[in-house]
Amino acid sequence: MKRASVMREQIYQHLMEEFREKTRPTIYTNNKTNKWLQLFCMYLANYTDIKQLDEVQEQDVQAYFDYLTANHKRLSLSLADIKHSMQLLEESLNIKIYAPLIDFSLSNSALWKNLK
């Protein structure tokens, strides 16, 4: 295994451990919720320089949302999954997420134009 891969895996494991400490234990009994947290941690480890949850800013969550909407088919995520994932991050990280990211109404053209 290359050094970069090992480093990303360590960052991923550390972020997941931080989520376990920060969130309610019942979250980990729900497989879907656990999948959303894993996906977010994998995204952070692979596409950002973030090494701790305290470093996550609103723009990082925005970039993650863009990643999810662009790759929802490949990741086998429904719109409901994306919405619940955003709500979970908002609650877990104590970050106020930009309203259109959790607005899945038909009038949210910014969301619908990104989904293909």
Side-chain angles (χ1 to χ4, degrees):
M1 204 177 226
K2 293 184 179 181
R3 180 168 160 61
S5 296
V6 172
M7 294 296 290
R8 283 194 302 269
E9 178 65 24
Q10 289 173 345
I11 292 169
Y12 165 76
Q13 293 296 336
H14 176 73
L15 291 167
M16 282 301 294
E17 188 60 36
E18 278 191 83
F19 262 124
R20 283 186 191 96
E21 292 171 5
K22 254 187 147 158
T23 57
R24 300 182 311 271
T26 56
I27 285 179
Y28 294 97
T29 60
N30 183 336
N31 286 338
K32 272 201 169 206
T33 305
N34 196 28
K35 176 187 173 184
W36 300 329
L37 292 177
Q38 288 174 338
L39 236 131
F40 182 64
C41 290
M42 278 190 256
Y43 171 80
L44 292 177
N46 287 318
Y47 299 106
T48 69
D49 294 329
I50 294 172
K51 293 180 175 50
Q52 296 194 14
L53 291 179
D54 294 341
E55 299 173 12
V56 176
Q57 301 293 319
E58 187 177 338
Q59 65 268 17
D60 301 316
V61 176
Q62 167 72 43
Y64 177 64
F65 177 79
D66 293 341
Y67 170 78
L68 290 181
T69 55
N71 296 289
H72 70 282
K73 288 181 184 174
R74 181 178 62 83
L75 297 171
S76 301
L77 295 173
S78 68
L79 290 177
D81 291 337
I82 295 172
K83 180 180 181 177
H84 293 303
S85 178
M86 290 293 112
Q87 290 170 335
L88 176 67
L89 292 177
E90 183 175 48
E91 179 184 303
S92 300
L93 299 174
N94 295 319
I95 292 177
K96 184 66 180 156
I97 295 178
Y98 181 59
L101 296 185
I102 52 177
D103 173 20
F104 282 72
S105 66
L106 290 175
S107 62
N108 185 355
S109 60
L111 167 70
W112 297 107
K113 73 177 181 180
N114 287 334
L115 297 174
K116 295 175 180 156

Short mmCIF file of all heavy atoms in Angstrom, two decimals, residues 44-98:
data_model
loop_
_atom_site.label_atom_id
_atom_site.label_comp_id
_atom_site.label_asym_id
_atom_site.label_seq_id
_atom_site.Cartn_x
_atom_site.Cartn_y
_atom_site.Cartn_z
N LEU A 44 -13.89 13.55 3.03
CA LEU A 44 -12.94 14.44 3.69
C LEU A 44 -11.51 13.91 3.56
O LEU A 44 -10.58 14.66 3.26
CB LEU A 44 -13.28 14.63 5.17
CG LEU A 44 -14.56 15.40 5.48
CD1 LEU A 44 -14.79 15.43 6.99
CD2 LEU A 44 -14.52 16.81 4.92
N ALA A 45 -11.34 12.61 3.77
CA ALA A 45 -10.01 12.02 3.71
C ALA A 45 -9.43 12.04 2.30
O ALA A 45 -8.23 12.28 2.13
CB ALA A 45 -10.05 10.60 4.24
N ASN A 46 -10.28 11.85 1.30
CA ASN A 46 -9.78 11.75 -0.08
C ASN A 46 -9.70 13.06 -0.84
O ASN A 46 -8.88 13.20 -1.73
CB ASN A 46 -10.66 10.77 -0.87
CG ASN A 46 -10.41 9.36 -0.46
OD1 ASN A 46 -9.29 8.94 -0.26
ND2 ASN A 46 -11.48 8.60 -0.31
N TYR A 47 -10.57 14.03 -0.50
CA TYR A 47 -10.66 15.23 -1.32
C TYR A 47 -10.33 16.53 -0.60
O TYR A 47 -10.41 17.59 -1.23
CB TYR A 47 -12.06 15.33 -1.94
CG TYR A 47 -12.39 14.18 -2.85
CD1 TYR A 47 -13.28 13.19 -2.45
CD2 TYR A 47 -11.80 14.05 -4.10
CE1 TYR A 47 -13.59 12.11 -3.28
CE2 TYR A 47 -12.09 12.99 -4.93
CZ TYR A 47 -12.99 12.03 -4.51
OH TYR A 47 -13.27 10.97 -5.33
N THR A 48 -10.02 16.47 0.67
CA THR A 48 -9.71 17.70 1.41
C THR A 48 -8.46 17.50 2.25
O THR A 48 -7.94 16.39 2.36
CB THR A 48 -10.87 18.12 2.35
OG1 THR A 48 -10.96 17.17 3.43
CG2 THR A 48 -12.20 18.19 1.64
N ASP A 49 -8.01 18.58 2.86
CA ASP A 49 -6.88 18.52 3.78
C ASP A 49 -7.33 18.45 5.23
O ASP A 49 -6.51 18.57 6.14
CB ASP A 49 -5.99 19.76 3.60
CG ASP A 49 -5.33 19.78 2.22
OD1 ASP A 49 -5.06 18.70 1.67
OD2 ASP A 49 -5.08 20.89 1.70
N ILE A 50 -8.61 18.26 5.45
CA ILE A 50 -9.17 18.23 6.80
C ILE A 50 -8.77 16.94 7.51
O ILE A 50 -8.89 15.85 6.95
CB ILE A 50 -10.71 18.37 6.74
CG1 ILE A 50 -11.06 19.76 6.21
CG2 ILE A 50 -11.35 18.10 8.09
CD1 ILE A 50 -12.51 19.97 5.91
N LYS A 51 -8.31 17.11 8.74
CA LYS A 51 -7.88 15.95 9.52
C LYS A 51 -8.69 15.79 10.81
O LYS A 51 -8.57 14.77 11.48
CB LYS A 51 -6.40 16.07 9.85
CG LYS A 51 -5.51 15.97 8.61
CD LYS A 51 -4.06 16.09 8.97
CE LYS A 51 -3.13 15.88 7.81
NZ LYS A 51 -3.36 16.57 6.61
N GLN A 52 -9.50 16.81 11.16
CA GLN A 52 -10.32 16.75 12.35
C GLN A 52 -11.67 17.39 12.05
O GLN A 52 -11.76 18.32 11.26
CB GLN A 52 -9.65 17.49 13.51
CG GLN A 52 -8.36 16.85 13.93
CD GLN A 52 -7.87 17.37 15.27
OE1 GLN A 52 -8.61 18.01 15.99
NE2 GLN A 52 -6.64 17.08 15.57
N LEU A 53 -12.70 16.91 12.73
CA LEU A 53 -14.05 17.43 12.48
C LEU A 53 -14.18 18.90 12.82
O LEU A 53 -14.98 19.61 12.22
CB LEU A 53 -15.08 16.62 13.26
CG LEU A 53 -15.29 15.19 12.79
CD1 LEU A 53 -16.32 14.50 13.67
CD2 LEU A 53 -15.71 15.15 11.34
N ASP A 54 -13.40 19.37 13.77
CA ASP A 54 -13.45 20.78 14.15
C ASP A 54 -13.03 21.70 13.01
O ASP A 54 -13.35 22.89 13.01
CB ASP A 54 -12.56 21.06 15.37
CG ASP A 54 -13.07 20.35 16.61
OD1 ASP A 54 -14.26 19.97 16.64
OD2 ASP A 54 -12.27 20.18 17.56
N GLU A 55 -12.32 21.18 12.04
CA GLU A 55 -11.85 21.97 10.91
C GLU A 55 -12.90 22.13 9.82
O GLU A 55 -12.74 22.93 8.90
CB GLU A 55 -10.60 21.32 10.30
CG GLU A 55 -9.42 21.21 11.24
CD GLU A 55 -8.28 20.41 10.64
OE1 GLU A 55 -8.30 20.12 9.42
OE2 GLU A 55 -7.36 20.07 11.40
N VAL A 56 -13.97 21.35 9.89
CA VAL A 56 -15.01 21.38 8.84
C VAL A 56 -15.76 22.70 8.91
O VAL A 56 -16.25 23.10 9.96
CB VAL A 56 -15.98 20.19 9.00
CG1 VAL A 56 -17.10 20.28 7.98
CG2 VAL A 56 -15.24 18.87 8.89
N GLN A 57 -15.85 23.36 7.77
CA GLN A 57 -16.56 24.63 7.63
C GLN A 57 -17.77 24.43 6.73
O GLN A 57 -17.90 23.41 6.06
CB GLN A 57 -15.63 25.69 7.03
CG GLN A 57 -14.38 25.95 7.83
CD GLN A 57 -14.70 26.60 9.17
OE1 GLN A 57 -15.54 27.47 9.25
NE2 GLN A 57 -14.04 26.15 10.23
N GLU A 58 -18.60 25.45 6.68
CA GLU A 58 -19.80 25.37 5.85
C GLU A 58 -19.46 25.15 4.37
O GLU A 58 -20.14 24.39 3.69
CB GLU A 58 -20.63 26.65 6.00
CG GLU A 58 -21.96 26.57 5.29
CD GLU A 58 -22.82 27.80 5.50
OE1 GLU A 58 -22.61 28.53 6.48
OE2 GLU A 58 -23.69 28.03 4.65
N GLN A 59 -18.40 25.76 3.89
CA GLN A 59 -18.03 25.58 2.48
C GLN A 59 -17.58 24.15 2.19
O GLN A 59 -17.75 23.66 1.07
CB GLN A 59 -16.98 26.60 2.02
CG GLN A 59 -15.64 26.49 2.69
CD GLN A 59 -15.50 27.37 3.91
OE1 GLN A 59 -16.49 27.83 4.48
NE2 GLN A 59 -14.28 27.61 4.35
N ASP A 60 -17.05 23.45 3.19
CA ASP A 60 -16.69 22.04 3.00
C ASP A 60 -17.95 21.18 2.85
O ASP A 60 -17.98 20.26 2.03
CB ASP A 60 -15.86 21.54 4.20
CG ASP A 60 -14.58 22.32 4.39
OD1 ASP A 60 -13.90 22.60 3.38
OD2 ASP A 60 -14.28 22.68 5.55
N VAL A 61 -18.97 21.50 3.62
CA VAL A 61 -20.24 20.78 3.51
C VAL A 61 -20.89 21.10 2.16
O VAL A 61 -21.47 20.22 1.52
CB VAL A 61 -21.18 21.11 4.70
CG1 VAL A 61 -22.52 20.44 4.53
CG2 VAL A 61 -20.52 20.70 6.02
N GLN A 62 -20.77 22.34 1.70
CA GLN A 62 -21.29 22.73 0.38
C GLN A 62 -20.59 21.92 -0.72
O GLN A 62 -21.25 21.40 -1.62
CB GLN A 62 -21.07 24.22 0.15
CG GLN A 62 -21.27 24.69 -1.29
CD GLN A 62 -22.72 24.71 -1.72
OE1 GLN A 62 -23.56 25.14 -0.96
NE2 GLN A 62 -23.00 24.22 -2.91
N ALA A 63 -19.28 21.80 -0.63
CA ALA A 63 -18.53 21.03 -1.62
C ALA A 63 -18.93 19.55 -1.57
O ALA A 63 -19.04 18.89 -2.61
CB ALA A 63 -17.03 21.19 -1.38
N TYR A 64 -19.17 19.04 -0.37
CA TYR A 64 -19.62 17.66 -0.22
C TYR A 64 -21.00 17.46 -0.85
O TYR A 64 -21.24 16.47 -1.53
CB TYR A 64 -19.64 17.28 1.26
CG TYR A 64 -20.15 15.88 1.54
CD1 TYR A 64 -19.47 14.77 1.07
CD2 TYR A 64 -21.31 15.68 2.26
CE1 TYR A 64 -19.93 13.49 1.32
CE2 TYR A 64 -21.78 14.40 2.52
CZ TYR A 64 -21.08 13.31 2.04
OH TYR A 64 -21.55 12.05 2.30
N PHE A 65 -21.89 18.43 -0.65
CA PHE A 65 -23.22 18.36 -1.25
C PHE A 65 -23.10 18.33 -2.78
O PHE A 65 -23.77 17.53 -3.45
CB PHE A 65 -24.05 19.57 -0.81
CG PHE A 65 -25.40 19.63 -1.45
CD1 PHE A 65 -26.44 18.83 -1.00
CD2 PHE A 65 -25.65 20.48 -2.52
CE1 PHE A 65 -27.69 18.88 -1.59
CE2 PHE A 65 -26.89 20.54 -3.11
CZ PHE A 65 -27.92 19.74 -2.65
N ASP A 66 -22.23 19.17 -3.33
CA ASP A 66 -22.01 19.18 -4.78
C ASP A 66 -21.50 17.82 -5.25
O ASP A 66 -21.90 17.31 -6.30
CB ASP A 66 -21.04 20.29 -5.17
CG ASP A 66 -21.60 21.68 -4.93
OD1 ASP A 66 -22.84 21.83 -4.81
OD2 ASP A 66 -20.79 22.63 -4.84
N TYR A 67 -20.59 17.23 -4.47
CA TYR A 67 -20.05 15.91 -4.78
C TYR A 67 -21.17 14.86 -4.78
O TYR A 67 -21.24 14.04 -5.69
CB TYR A 67 -18.97 15.55 -3.75
CG TYR A 67 -18.49 14.13 -3.81
CD1 TYR A 67 -17.59 13.72 -4.78
CD2 TYR A 67 -18.93 13.19 -2.87
CE1 TYR A 67 -17.14 12.39 -4.83
CE2 TYR A 67 -18.49 11.89 -2.91
CZ TYR A 67 -17.60 11.49 -3.89
OH TYR A 67 -17.16 10.19 -3.94
N LEU A 68 -22.03 14.90 -3.77
CA LEU A 68 -23.13 13.93 -3.69
C LEU A 68 -24.10 14.07 -4.86
O LEU A 68 -24.51 13.07 -5.44
CB LEU A 68 -23.90 14.09 -2.37
CG LEU A 68 -23.20 13.65 -1.10
CD1 LEU A 68 -24.12 13.86 0.10
CD2 LEU A 68 -22.73 12.22 -1.18
N THR A 69 -24.46 15.31 -5.19
CA THR A 69 -25.42 15.50 -6.28
C THR A 69 -24.81 15.10 -7.62
O THR A 69 -25.52 14.59 -8.50
CB THR A 69 -25.96 16.94 -6.34
OG1 THR A 69 -24.88 17.85 -6.43
CG2 THR A 69 -26.81 17.24 -5.12
N ALA A 70 -23.53 15.32 -7.79
CA ALA A 70 -22.87 14.95 -9.04
C ALA A 70 -22.67 13.43 -9.16
O ALA A 70 -22.62 12.89 -10.27
CB ALA A 70 -21.52 15.66 -9.16
N ASN A 71 -22.56 12.75 -8.03
CA ASN A 71 -22.24 11.32 -8.04
C ASN A 71 -23.32 10.44 -7.40
O ASN A 71 -23.04 9.30 -7.04
CB ASN A 71 -20.92 11.10 -7.29
CG ASN A 71 -19.76 11.76 -7.98
OD1 ASN A 71 -19.34 11.32 -9.04
ND2 ASN A 71 -19.26 12.83 -7.41
N HIS A 72 -24.53 10.96 -7.27
CA HIS A 72 -25.57 10.21 -6.55
C HIS A 72 -25.89 8.86 -7.18
O HIS A 72 -26.15 7.90 -6.47
CB HIS A 72 -26.85 11.05 -6.40
CG HIS A 72 -27.59 11.27 -7.67
ND1 HIS A 72 -27.18 12.21 -8.60
CD2 HIS A 72 -28.69 10.67 -8.16
CE1 HIS A 72 -28.02 12.18 -9.62
NE2 HIS A 72 -28.94 11.26 -9.38
N LYS A 73 -25.81 8.74 -8.49
CA LYS A 73 -26.10 7.46 -9.13
C LYS A 73 -24.99 6.45 -8.83
O LYS A 73 -25.27 5.30 -8.48
CB LYS A 73 -26.24 7.64 -10.64
CG LYS A 73 -27.51 8.35 -11.04
CD LYS A 73 -27.62 8.49 -12.53
CE LYS A 73 -28.86 9.28 -12.89
NZ LYS A 73 -28.92 9.56 -14.33
N ARG A 74 -23.76 6.87 -8.97
CA ARG A 74 -22.62 6.00 -8.70
C ARG A 74 -22.59 5.55 -7.24
O ARG A 74 -22.23 4.42 -6.93
CB ARG A 74 -21.31 6.71 -9.05
CG ARG A 74 -20.07 5.87 -8.85
CD ARG A 74 -18.81 6.62 -9.27
NE ARG A 74 -18.57 7.82 -8.53
CZ ARG A 74 -17.96 7.87 -7.32
NH1 ARG A 74 -17.57 6.76 -6.73
NH2 ARG A 74 -17.75 9.00 -6.73
N LEU A 75 -23.00 6.45 -6.34
CA LEU A 75 -22.98 6.15 -4.90
C LEU A 75 -24.27 5.47 -4.43
O LEU A 75 -24.40 5.14 -3.26
CB LEU A 75 -22.78 7.45 -4.11
CG LEU A 75 -21.46 8.18 -4.35
CD1 LEU A 75 -21.49 9.55 -3.69
CD2 LEU A 75 -20.30 7.35 -3.85
N SER A 76 -25.21 5.28 -5.34
CA SER A 76 -26.51 4.66 -5.03
C SER A 76 -27.25 5.40 -3.92
O SER A 76 -27.73 4.80 -2.95
CB SER A 76 -26.35 3.19 -4.65
OG SER A 76 -25.75 2.47 -5.68
N LEU A 77 -27.32 6.73 -4.07
CA LEU A 77 -28.01 7.56 -3.09
C LEU A 77 -29.27 8.15 -3.70
O LEU A 77 -29.26 8.61 -4.83
CB LEU A 77 -27.11 8.71 -2.63
CG LEU A 77 -25.85 8.35 -1.87
CD1 LEU A 77 -25.00 9.59 -1.64
CD2 LEU A 77 -26.20 7.72 -0.54
N SER A 78 -30.33 8.14 -2.91
CA SER A 78 -31.56 8.79 -3.34
C SER A 78 -31.53 10.24 -2.85
O SER A 78 -30.66 10.62 -2.06
CB SER A 78 -32.78 8.07 -2.74
OG SER A 78 -32.80 8.25 -1.34
N LEU A 79 -32.47 11.04 -3.32
CA LEU A 79 -32.56 12.42 -2.84
C LEU A 79 -32.84 12.46 -1.34
O LEU A 79 -32.32 13.32 -0.63
CB LEU A 79 -33.65 13.17 -3.60
CG LEU A 79 -33.32 13.47 -5.06
CD1 LEU A 79 -34.50 14.16 -5.71
CD2 LEU A 79 -32.08 14.31 -5.17
N ALA A 80 -33.63 11.53 -0.87
CA ALA A 80 -33.92 11.46 0.57
C ALA A 80 -32.64 11.18 1.36
O ALA A 80 -32.42 11.77 2.42
CB ALA A 80 -34.96 10.40 0.86
N ASP A 81 -31.79 10.30 0.82
CA ASP A 81 -30.51 10.01 1.48
C ASP A 81 -29.65 11.26 1.58
O ASP A 81 -29.05 11.53 2.62
CB ASP A 81 -29.72 8.94 0.71
CG ASP A 81 -30.36 7.57 0.76
OD1 ASP A 81 -31.14 7.31 1.71
OD2 ASP A 81 -30.07 6.76 -0.14
N ILE A 82 -29.60 12.02 0.49
CA ILE A 82 -28.79 13.24 0.48
C ILE A 82 -29.34 14.25 1.48
O ILE A 82 -28.59 14.85 2.26
CB ILE A 82 -28.71 13.84 -0.94
CG1 ILE A 82 -27.96 12.89 -1.87
CG2 ILE A 82 -28.02 15.21 -0.91
CD1 ILE A 82 -28.00 13.29 -3.33
N LYS A 83 -30.64 14.40 1.50
CA LYS A 83 -31.27 15.34 2.43
C LYS A 83 -31.00 14.95 3.88
O LYS A 83 -30.60 15.77 4.70
CB LYS A 83 -32.77 15.41 2.18
CG LYS A 83 -33.50 16.35 3.11
CD LYS A 83 -34.98 16.39 2.83
CE LYS A 83 -35.68 17.36 3.75
NZ LYS A 83 -37.11 17.46 3.45
N HIS A 84 -31.21 13.68 4.19
CA HIS A 84 -30.98 13.22 5.57
C HIS A 84 -29.51 13.31 5.95
O HIS A 84 -29.16 13.62 7.09
CB HIS A 84 -31.50 11.80 5.75
CG HIS A 84 -32.99 11.70 5.64
ND1 HIS A 84 -33.85 12.42 6.43
CD2 HIS A 84 -33.77 10.96 4.83
CE1 HIS A 84 -35.10 12.13 6.12
NE2 HIS A 84 -35.07 11.26 5.13
N SER A 85 -28.64 13.07 4.98
CA SER A 85 -27.21 13.20 5.23
C SER A 85 -26.84 14.64 5.59
O SER A 85 -26.08 14.88 6.53
CB SER A 85 -26.43 12.75 3.99
OG SER A 85 -25.06 12.89 4.17
N MET A 86 -27.40 15.59 4.85
CA MET A 86 -27.13 17.00 5.14
C MET A 86 -27.66 17.39 6.53
O MET A 86 -27.00 18.10 7.28
CB MET A 86 -27.77 17.90 4.09
CG MET A 86 -27.12 17.84 2.72
SD MET A 86 -25.45 18.51 2.73
CE MET A 86 -24.52 17.04 2.43
N GLN A 87 -28.85 16.91 6.86
CA GLN A 87 -29.43 17.21 8.17
C GLN A 87 -28.59 16.59 9.29
O GLN A 87 -28.38 17.21 10.33
CB GLN A 87 -30.87 16.71 8.24
CG GLN A 87 -31.80 17.50 7.36
CD GLN A 87 -33.18 16.88 7.23
OE1 GLN A 87 -33.35 15.67 7.40
NE2 GLN A 87 -34.16 17.70 6.92
N LEU A 88 -28.10 15.38 9.06
CA LEU A 88 -27.24 14.72 10.05
C LEU A 88 -25.95 15.50 10.26
O LEU A 88 -25.52 15.70 11.40
CB LEU A 88 -26.93 13.29 9.60
CG LEU A 88 -25.97 12.50 10.47
CD1 LEU A 88 -26.59 12.21 11.83
CD2 LEU A 88 -25.58 11.20 9.78
N LEU A 89 -25.36 15.97 9.19
CA LEU A 89 -24.12 16.75 9.32
C LEU A 89 -24.38 18.07 10.04
O LEU A 89 -23.57 18.49 10.88
CB LEU A 89 -23.51 17.01 7.94
CG LEU A 89 -22.97 15.79 7.21
CD1 LEU A 89 -22.47 16.17 5.83
CD2 LEU A 89 -21.88 15.11 8.01
N GLU A 90 -25.48 18.70 9.72
CA GLU A 90 -25.83 19.96 10.39
C GLU A 90 -25.96 19.74 11.89
O GLU A 90 -25.44 20.51 12.70
CB GLU A 90 -27.12 20.53 9.81
CG GLU A 90 -27.52 21.87 10.39
CD GLU A 90 -28.75 22.44 9.71
OE1 GLU A 90 -29.75 21.71 9.55
OE2 GLU A 90 -28.70 23.62 9.33
N GLU A 91 -26.63 18.68 12.27
CA GLU A 91 -26.84 18.37 13.68
C GLU A 91 -25.55 17.92 14.36
O GLU A 91 -25.22 18.38 15.45
CB GLU A 91 -27.89 17.27 13.79
CG GLU A 91 -28.18 16.83 15.21
CD GLU A 91 -29.16 15.67 15.22
OE1 GLU A 91 -30.27 15.80 14.68
OE2 GLU A 91 -28.79 14.61 15.77
N SER A 92 -24.80 17.06 13.72
CA SER A 92 -23.60 16.48 14.33
C SER A 92 -22.45 17.48 14.45
O SER A 92 -21.70 17.44 15.43
CB SER A 92 -23.10 15.29 13.51
OG SER A 92 -24.08 14.30 13.45
N LEU A 93 -22.31 18.34 13.46
CA LEU A 93 -21.18 19.26 13.43
C LEU A 93 -21.52 20.64 13.99
O LEU A 93 -20.66 21.51 14.05
CB LEU A 93 -20.66 19.40 12.00
CG LEU A 93 -20.14 18.12 11.35
CD1 LEU A 93 -19.80 18.37 9.89
CD2 LEU A 93 -18.94 17.59 12.10
N ASN A 94 -22.79 20.83 14.34
CA ASN A 94 -23.25 22.13 14.84
C ASN A 94 -22.90 23.25 13.86
O ASN A 94 -22.40 24.30 14.24
CB ASN A 94 -22.67 22.43 16.22
CG ASN A 94 -23.18 21.47 17.26
OD1 ASN A 94 -24.34 21.12 17.27
ND2 ASN A 94 -22.29 21.03 18.13
N ILE A 95 -23.17 22.98 12.59
CA ILE A 95 -22.93 23.95 11.53
C ILE A 95 -24.28 24.30 10.92
O ILE A 95 -25.08 23.42 10.64
CB ILE A 95 -22.01 23.37 10.43
CG1 ILE A 95 -20.60 23.15 10.97
CG2 ILE A 95 -21.97 24.26 9.21
CD1 ILE A 95 -19.67 22.51 9.97
N LYS A 96 -24.52 25.57 10.72
CA LYS A 96 -25.73 26.00 10.04
C LYS A 96 -25.49 25.86 8.54
O LYS A 96 -24.65 26.53 7.96
CB LYS A 96 -26.07 27.46 10.40
CG LYS A 96 -27.36 27.92 9.80
CD LYS A 96 -28.54 27.17 10.39
CE LYS A 96 -29.82 27.67 9.76
NZ LYS A 96 -30.88 26.71 9.82
N ILE A 97 -26.22 24.96 7.92
CA ILE A 97 -26.05 24.68 6.51
C ILE A 97 -26.93 25.63 5.69
O ILE A 97 -28.08 25.87 6.03
CB ILE A 97 -26.37 23.21 6.20
CG1 ILE A 97 -25.34 22.32 6.91
CG2 ILE A 97 -26.38 22.94 4.71
CD1 ILE A 97 -25.58 20.85 6.72
N TYR A 98 -26.37 26.13 4.61
CA TYR A 98 -27.07 27.01 3.69
C TYR A 98 -28.40 26.38 3.30
O TYR A 98 -28.45 25.23 2.86
CB TYR A 98 -26.16 27.24 2.48
CG TYR A 98 -26.67 28.12 1.40
CD1 TYR A 98 -27.02 29.44 1.66
CD2 TYR A 98 -26.79 27.66 0.10
CE1 TYR A 98 -27.49 30.27 0.65
CE2 TYR A 98 -27.25 28.48 -0.91
CZ TYR A 98 -27.59 29.77 -0.62
OH TYR A 98 -28.05 30.58 -1.61
#
